[in-house]
Amino acid sequence: MKTIARNDAYPFILKAVKPLADDVVQLSLSTKNGEPFSYREGQFLSLRLSSGVQRSYSMASACSDDGQVQLHVRLLDGGQFSEWLRGQSRVGESLQVLGPYGDCVWQQPESASATVLMLATGTGIAPLKALIEKALSDGVRNPLILYWGGNTEKDLYLKDYFFELAGSHSNFAFVPVLTGAQPDWQGRHGFVQDAAAGDFPDLGSATVYACGSPAMVEAARTLLISTRNLDSTRFKADAFCPAIPRKAIHDAAHISIKVKQQNGMRSSLSVPSGISLLQALTSIDQVIGVCGGQAACGNCRVVIPDPWKSNIAPAGRKEARLLAAIDSAPEHRLACQIQVNSSLEGLLLDL
Ligand SMILES: Cc1cc2nc3c(=O)[nH]c(=O)nc-3n(C[C@H](O)[C@H](O)[C@H](O)COP(=O)(O)OP(=O)(O)OC[C@H]3O[C@@H](n4cnc5c(N)ncnc54)[C@H](O)[C@@H]3O)c2cc1C
Ligand code: FES
């Protein structure tokens, strides 16, 4: 299969838009000439509109060789991609696709009997559905348990599908979990990570996949590693971080940053501490976080000179691996991995 190169935009056609829930649609996309699009289950792609708006979405089905891809998209009021989809019928339109990206992909379980837990909230179910379908079709026999959380039953738009899948595969179990009050609900209440932690006191040999809201992913990571003995290298996750800061941070201290753009022009920014450097640059249209800040595309690479470089935390494992893969110099960093704080005061940033 031809692999479409990372960061090369590739034309796809939007073939169908199918409602899955009140605010979730399934997009069926196809490569323009039916050429295969190769990806690993659990990965995501980046869709670029002609307006330049670019958003990440995870593949919701196992990879096939017919160039077809399915995505689940939650429609957000006021969201730029959501409103583009909602505004008029887009079927037949061309979209630029970048990717695939992400390393929330299948990891060989520690042993044939080791448990594999999957935690999803909302459309975070999409990459886990692809992973589960692939694992079951490959004949994986490990116990696979899916916890899917939503506010109401309607949010769990594939509930019947997963119950049926559990009925036909003895090693797969499905646990729906609701956060909202619903009088006739017989199932579990609370957060998915708490439900999983309650069921599994020791995850020493387990692998956990978590996809969906950033709050759930971080809570699950902390809880399961610190209290359930989960090996941190066996926690695989994709947090569906928004491409733009969700709300202005009014109370935060502001940090002054100067940006030297590629055309030589300089702009001065006053950035609230706490957001990522990528979010700051996105707000002045200087960088597009192609992979949504997942340290997967390298598109947000910037030069951080001294003394600021030595003041900030060094690159983590994922960032260091990507920087090495794209032949970076020692002063290069990924803006998506750097949190703005007082150590960046006065930074002169070179794009
Ligand atoms: C790795 C990854 C995988 C993802 N996979 C999926 C997936 O499979 N399915 C899925 O549904 N999503 C997924 N996402 C999230 C997705 O990429 C988008 O963030 C999401 O669809 C919203 O995009 P949008 O353009 O509709 O909204 P945006 O334009 O990004 O707006 C998001 C929200 O912020 C509000 N807003 C807009 N502008 C501002 C502003 N200036 N200030 C404050 N608030 C504002 C909007 O009203 C809206 O509610 C993924 C994200 C990542 C990083
Ligand atoms: S946005 Fe993709 S690596 Fe930073």
Side-chain angles (χ1 to χ4, degrees):
M1 269 191 220
K2 175 179 189 273
T3 304
I4 294 167
R6 161 193 297 267
N7 296 357
D8 277 356
Y10 196 85
F12 274 62
I13 303 287
L14 181 55
K15 293 281 185 187
V17 180
K18 177 180 147 192
L20 294 175
D22 289 349
D23 57 351
V24 180
V25 291
Q26 175 178 284
L27 305 191
S28 300
L29 298 162
S30 168
T31 50
K32 237 176 178 165
N33 48 12
E35 192 177 25
F37 174 61
S38 178
Y39 61 87
R40 291 189 67 191
E41 291 72 18
Q43 288 193 299
F44 62 95
L45 51 68
S46 197
L47 288 182
R48 186 189 289 163
L49 302 180
S50 53
S51 62
V53 167
Q54 193 161 319
R55 297 289 183 265
S56 304
Y57 296 100
S58 307
M59 276 66 86
S61 48
C63 182
S64 61
D65 58 7
D66 57 3
Q68 310 269 342
V69 175
Q70 287 176 355
L71 311 171
H72 294 179
V73 177
R74 178 172 301 282
L75 300 173
L76 298 175
D77 289 339
Q80 295 180 57
F81 188 78
S82 304
E83 294 301 335
W84 179 84
L85 263 180
R86 242 201 286 248
Q88 62 188 82
S89 170
R90 299 292 183 176
V91 174
E93 288 203 24
S94 181
L95 288 160
Q96 298 296 312
V97 166
L98 294 96
Y101 302 112
D103 62 359
C104 185
V105 295
W106 185 256
Q107 185 172 348
Q108 189 62 29
E110 196 178 276
S111 69
S113 59
T115 301
V116 179
L117 295 187
M118 308 237 169
L119 311 181
T121 54
T123 47
I125 196 64
L128 299 187
K129 173 176 174 284
L131 274 167
I132 291 165
E133 287 174 355
K134 174 75 170 142
L136 294 178
S137 78
D138 283 352
V140 167
R141 297 299 308 149
N142 294 72
L144 291 177
I145 300 112
L146 168 66
Y147 292 84
W148 187 13
N151 189 34
T152 69
E153 214 173 334
K154 281 211 283 193
D155 294 329
L156 307 182
Y157 50 88
L158 289 181
K159 183 166 62 70
D160 294 345
Y161 168 78
F162 284 114
F163 275 132
E164 272 171 36
L165 204 60
S168 55
H169 293 84
S170 56
N171 62 322
F172 173 64
F174 172 48
V175 184
V177 186
L178 293 189
T179 45
Q182 195 167 306
D184 53 347
W185 178 247
Q186 305 291 321
R188 307 280 288 270
H189 280 284
F191 296 119
V192 279
Q193 65 276 15
D194 295 332
D199 293 345
F200 292 90
D202 185 0
L203 292 171
S205 62
T207 306
V208 175
Y209 298 82
C211 293
S213 86
M216 179 279 283
V217 168
E218 277 325 301
R221 187 195 306 274
T222 307
L223 178 71
L224 302 181
I225 292 173
S226 64
T227 72
R228 293 298 181 272
N229 199 23
L230 177 67
D231 181 338
S232 60
T233 63
R234 291 203 162 273
F235 184 83
K236 313 280 285 175
D238 261 339
F240 286 6
C241 301
I244 47 172
R246 201 153 283 253
K247 57 179 176 351
I249 304 169
H250 295 296
D251 302 335
H254 279 60
I255 311 300
S256 302
I257 291 178
K258 284 195 171 55
V259 181
K260 186 174 164 202
Q261 299 173 17
Q262 273 157 356
N263 60 9
M265 287 186 49
R266 291 188 181 206
S267 31
S268 297
L269 292 179
S270 175
V271 181
S273 57
I275 70 170
S276 75
L277 195 51
L278 172 65
Q279 287 177 312
L281 295 172
T282 307
S283 69
I284 54 161
D285 289 333
Q286 280 307 306
V287 175
I288 295 176
V290 169
C291 70
Q294 300 295 302
C297 68
N299 211 51
C300 67
R301 186 171 63 172
V302 292
V303 175
I304 310 259
D306 268 328
W308 299 280
K309 180 177 162 274
S310 12
N311 288 345
I312 56 177
R317 202 164 49 98
K318 204 171 168 185
E319 181 184 357
R321 210 172 49 197
L322 180 60
L323 285 170
I326 55 176
D327 284 336
S328 300
E331 60 276 18
H332 280 141
R333 291 294 303 267
L334 299 178
C336 65
Q337 302 303 304
I338 295 173
Q339 202 188 42
V340 173
N341 59 34
S342 57
S343 63
L344 290 182
E345 180 60 46
L347 169 69
L348 178 60
L349 189 69
D350 199 340
L351 300 183

